Amino acid sequence: MVQKADRLKDIEFSKIRLLNQKVEELQAEGREMCTFTIGQPDFPTPQYIKDACTKALADGFTGYGSYTGSLNFRQAVVDKYKRENGLEFSADQVIASNGAAQAAYLVLTTFVNPGDEIILPNPMYNIYDNIGKICGAVIKHYSLKEENEFQIDIEELKGLVTDKTKMIVICSPNNPIGGILTKETLEGVAEAVKDKDILICSDEIYERLTYDGETAPSPALIPSLRDKTIIINGFSKAFSMTGWRIGYVIAPMQYMEPLTLHSGFQISGIATYNAEAAATALNDDVKYHTVDTMRDEFETRRNYFVEEINKTEHFSCLKPKGAFYIFMNIRKTGMTSNEFIDWLVENYGVAMVNGAVFGSEGEGFVRISYASSMEQIKRGCELLHEADKALTEMGR
């Protein structure tokens, strides 16, 4: 039997997907489950977007497209960033991708060589760690701590930067935390890389899902970071288009040639009818306000969940300002994160994600996705209160 390539030797299947598979198996056996594991909105894709896809198919958008995506798609991205983010780009700075995950793969594999150092958040959705391993990078982590409201400790970051540092990844709002990096924090990042030839990979997939009047500023808004920042974004979260697999990269012009070349060999462009639908999603949301509608519902769910969690004796959380995740502190239980989620599934039929999956700073926490129905959330909170009472009776 031919063995897999060495570059894959340290790569593992997503523990979140494996957990969700376990939950589905329990449900198939007739077990009632409250599931807060997958970051997938429970809303359907808005009808106007599906209609645009149907029209694109009828209009003949079924052939090969540009490696970078159609001009219509790329201009829609540019218009969105000018309208909503206060950033001006040209369409020539945009590359369409098969979701934000492939965009991340494109960006890291285009620039990171074996032995290069990359600096990643801890905790963080582990796709970047895995891609870094595939690249043969030396991976370092900066800590995001609850006691610091999950902001970057700039002095720690400065201590991680060396002459071998090729890239720093940030994600705001963050998965699994739901935290937003402030402008002051981003200015600190700018100071840390001042006069250094380091790329900032900014994962902005959740940037439209912010609450309490907050926004998630892009590092590209910081003047000294503008020409260092490569943005990754997509449609899965804000538009509930997880299965469509559409994302994009926005990069400074000096990096477009290698990104375009590499993207062409990776995917040869995205589906042309999907690109038309995605352009319509961005252009017409100002008419249909579907993102606002979903965001308002997520905010209601978040508020309910956070209030109920903080009524308990053994669980607590900060109120997340973005995405649709709560990072719940379970340290008072005396259990590891893995022990806790197993105990909760076995005894109460409530599934959450082990915080340690996202890095060492996630130990003592579990991630809760509130991208599920209010009915599920209310039942889940009832069961959490039961679990809390049981822990007290156990002397925890």
Side-chain angles (χ1 to χ4, degrees):
M1 177 179 172
V2 176
Q3 298 299 306
K4 65 184 178 184
D6 289 345
R7 71 179 68 91
L8 299 180
K9 66 181 180 180
D10 295 324
I11 307 303
E12 300 177 343
F13 285 104
S14 166
K15 289 183 173 64
I16 302 171
R17 296 295 180 98
L18 293 174
L19 173 62
N20 208 56
Q21 183 179 324
K22 178 182 176 181
V23 169
E24 289 174 353
E25 290 170 357
L26 289 170
Q27 288 173 321
E29 293 170 3
R31 180 81 183 274
E32 182 181 348
M33 297 292 297
C34 285
T35 305
F36 306 109
T37 53
I38 295 293
Q40 175 166 269
D42 64 325
F43 301 98
T45 300
Q47 188 61 47
Y48 80 95
I49 301 173
K50 292 188 284 188
D51 289 344
C53 185
T54 301
K55 183 178 186 301
L57 285 166
D59 290 347
F61 286 90
T62 56
Y64 284 128
S66 165
Y67 281 179
T68 56
S70 69
L71 178 59
N72 185 38
F73 172 84
R74 290 181 285 118
Q75 188 61 50
V77 169
V78 168
D79 292 344
K80 172 260 188 291
Y81 262 82
K82 181 178 181 179
R83 182 175 64 243
E84 298 176 11
N85 305 79
L87 285 165
E88 293 198 29
F89 300 104
S90 72
D92 291 338
Q93 292 178 260
V94 180
I95 298 176
S97 63
N98 284 151
Q102 188 261 322
Y105 193 89
L106 171 64
V107 171
L108 268 67
T109 57
T110 297
F111 295 105
V112 178
N113 289 314
D116 285 343
E117 295 179 0
I118 60 174
I119 307 176
L120 311 179
N122 177 15
M124 174 65 183
Y125 183 56
N126 69 358
I127 186 172
Y128 290 96
D129 274 273
N130 282 325
I131 299 170
K133 290 173 185 176
I134 290 171
C135 292
V138 175
I139 301 172
K140 298 181 175 181
H141 296 95
Y142 58 84
S143 303
L144 299 174
K145 296 180 180 291
E146 185 180 51
E147 53 268 32
N148 194 31
E149 296 190 341
F150 299 120
Q151 296 297 307
I152 300 172
D153 182 327
I154 300 302
E155 291 307 310
E156 179 195 22
L157 181 64
K158 287 180 178 178
L160 295 172
V161 173
T162 73
D163 291 341
K164 294 182 179 180
T165 305
K166 177 68 73 71
M167 181 181 293
I168 298 172
V169 173
I170 68 172
C171 180
S172 179
N174 176 284
N175 173 13
I177 294 165
I180 293 174
L181 298 179
T182 64
K183 183 180 178 184
E184 290 71 25
T185 294
L186 295 177
E187 288 171 342
V189 173
E191 178 65 21
V193 300
K194 182 177 62 175
D195 302 324
K196 296 183 183 298
D197 198 14
I198 296 173
L199 286 171
I200 306 296
C201 176
S202 179
D203 188 324
E204 302 180 6
I205 189 67
Y206 295 100
E207 52 90 23
R208 296 194 69 174
L209 298 177
T210 59
Y211 313 108
D212 304 322
E214 296 277 351
T215 59
S218 171
L221 285 166
I222 308 300
S224 65
L225 293 181
R226 178 62 186 263
D227 288 337
K228 297 176 183 285
T229 300
I230 298 178
I231 293 170
I232 290 171
N233 208 331
F235 295 77
S236 292
K237 311 301 183 179
F239 289 97
S240 195
M241 296 172 67
T242 53
W244 293 64
R245 310 315 303 138
I246 311 173
Y248 53 88
V249 173
I250 307 174
M253 278 304 300
Q254 64 263 35
Y255 299 121
M256 287 302 296
E257 183 178 353
L259 284 167
T260 302
L261 174 68
H262 198 187
S263 178
F265 282 110
Q266 280 189 4
I267 63 167
S268 298
I270 69 170
T272 48
Y273 50 87
N274 274 0
E276 294 304 301
T280 300
L282 294 176
N283 290 332
D284 287 3
D285 184 59
V286 291
K287 183 193 320 182
Y288 294 100
H289 300 290
T290 55
V291 174
D292 290 340
T293 300
M294 286 189 276
R295 183 172 55 233
D296 289 347
E297 178 59 27
F298 285 140
E299 187 165 359
T300 298
R301 297 174 186 182
R302 178 205 63 162
N303 291 346
Y304 183 89
F305 228 141
V306 168
E307 183 177 355
E308 292 301 311
I309 287 169
N310 286 324
K311 287 178 181 177
T312 66
E313 292 294 326
H314 295 86
F315 317 128
S316 64
C317 67
L318 298 181
K319 181 181 281 188
K321 296 179 180 180
F324 37 60
Y325 306 110
I326 294 168
F327 215 43
M328 186 172 78
N329 189 321
I330 55 115
R331 290 169 179 160
K332 289 182 179 179
T333 68
M335 301 182 197
T336 67
S337 297
N338 195 53
E339 289 169 344
F340 177 77
I341 63 166
D342 285 346
W343 178 78
L344 202 62
V345 167
E346 180 65 28
N347 293 281
Y348 297 95
V350 176
M352 301 173 178
V353 179
N354 173 358
V357 165
F358 304 100
S360 59
E361 292 293 341
E363 183 54 71
F365 294 83
V366 294
R367 190 194 77 173
I368 300 170
S369 170
Y370 52 90
S372 59
S373 71
M374 196 64 182
E375 180 184 9
Q376 277 268 299
I377 289 170
K378 288 182 176 180
R379 178 56 180 155
C381 287
E382 290 175 2
L383 293 167
L384 266 186
H385 282 292
E386 290 182 20
D388 182 52
K389 182 179 178 182
L391 287 165
T392 300
E393 293 171 351
M394 292 161 60
R396 294 273 184 173

